[in-house]
Amino acid sequence: MRKFIINETEKERILNLHQTAIKKQNITETLEAVVSSMSDPELQKYNKAIQCFLNKKGITDDNGDKLVIDGSIGNYPNSKSAQAIYNYQKMVKAYPVDGKWGQDTMSKMSDEDKKMYKECLSQYEDIIDKIINFFL
């Protein structure tokens, strides 16, 4: 067994790294739970916003085609939308690169991309969503 002697500053740094990792894991699990609990119409709005964003960014499927905004994502590699997500993930160096939109992908978005994505979200929101987001 080895013993390590660390100073208070290093101890705080290690604890902060641990707390940050736990928070990221909780955020990811929360986002996945929210998405998996969405009703079909809610999930379609969310997916349409993703497709809208990827089209605005010029991210295409593996054939170089823009996405049809239909609210259906599917799974990589068979889904054109999942292919575009995969291509975006490679571009922003997200991990994992799996064709699934989630917190890991969103955390790599630039401020400009976040703004563009938010515009797409608002485009596909219903009136209740818009009122709620107005106050947030």
Side-chain angles (χ1 to χ4, degrees):
M1 182 164 89
R2 295 175 112 187
K3 288 187 177 186
F4 294 93
I5 299 173
I6 59 174
N7 62 29
E8 196 63 32
T9 304
E10 186 65 14
K11 175 184 162 191
E12 288 299 316
R13 189 183 76 76
I14 292 169
L15 288 173
N16 286 335
L17 287 172
H18 178 69
Q19 289 171 344
T20 301
I22 288 172
K23 286 178 186 175
K24 183 177 179 187
Q25 180 182 0
N26 289 340
I27 290 169
T28 301
E29 290 171 358
T30 302
L31 178 64
E32 289 169 359
V34 167
V35 170
S36 67
S37 69
M38 287 180 175
S39 67
D40 284 341
E42 289 173 318
L43 187 56
Q44 282 190 338
K45 288 188 289 187
Y46 178 73
N47 289 344
K48 284 179 180 180
I50 294 166
Q51 292 165 329
C52 165
F53 166 74
L54 292 168
N55 281 344
K56 282 186 175 186
K57 275 297 285 183
I59 309 297
T60 61
D61 67 17
D62 290 346
N63 293 327
D65 297 324
K66 287 181 76 172
L67 301 176
V68 173
I69 300 179
D70 61 3
S72 175
I73 296 290
N75 294 311
Y76 184 79
N78 300 323
S79 159
K80 293 182 177 293
S81 293
Q83 291 171 8
I85 292 169
Y86 181 93
N87 294 335
Y88 179 73
Q89 289 171 326
K90 285 193 311 187
M91 185 181 91
V92 298
K93 297 178 176 58
Y95 181 82
V97 178
D98 57 5
K100 294 180 182 177
W101 192 268
Q103 182 60 34
D104 293 328
T105 302
M106 291 171 49
S107 70
K108 293 293 186 173
M109 295 173 81
S110 67
D111 289 341
E112 182 181 316
D113 284 2
K114 289 176 186 176
K115 182 179 177 188
M116 190 182 301
Y117 175 67
K118 194 169 186 174
E119 289 168 2
C120 285
L121 275 174
S122 69
Q123 185 175 342
Y124 292 99
E125 292 175 319
D126 59 26
I127 191 67
I128 302 295
D129 294 326
K130 288 181 182 189
I131 292 169
I132 291 169
N133 286 329
F134 177 77
F135 291 105
L136 295 179

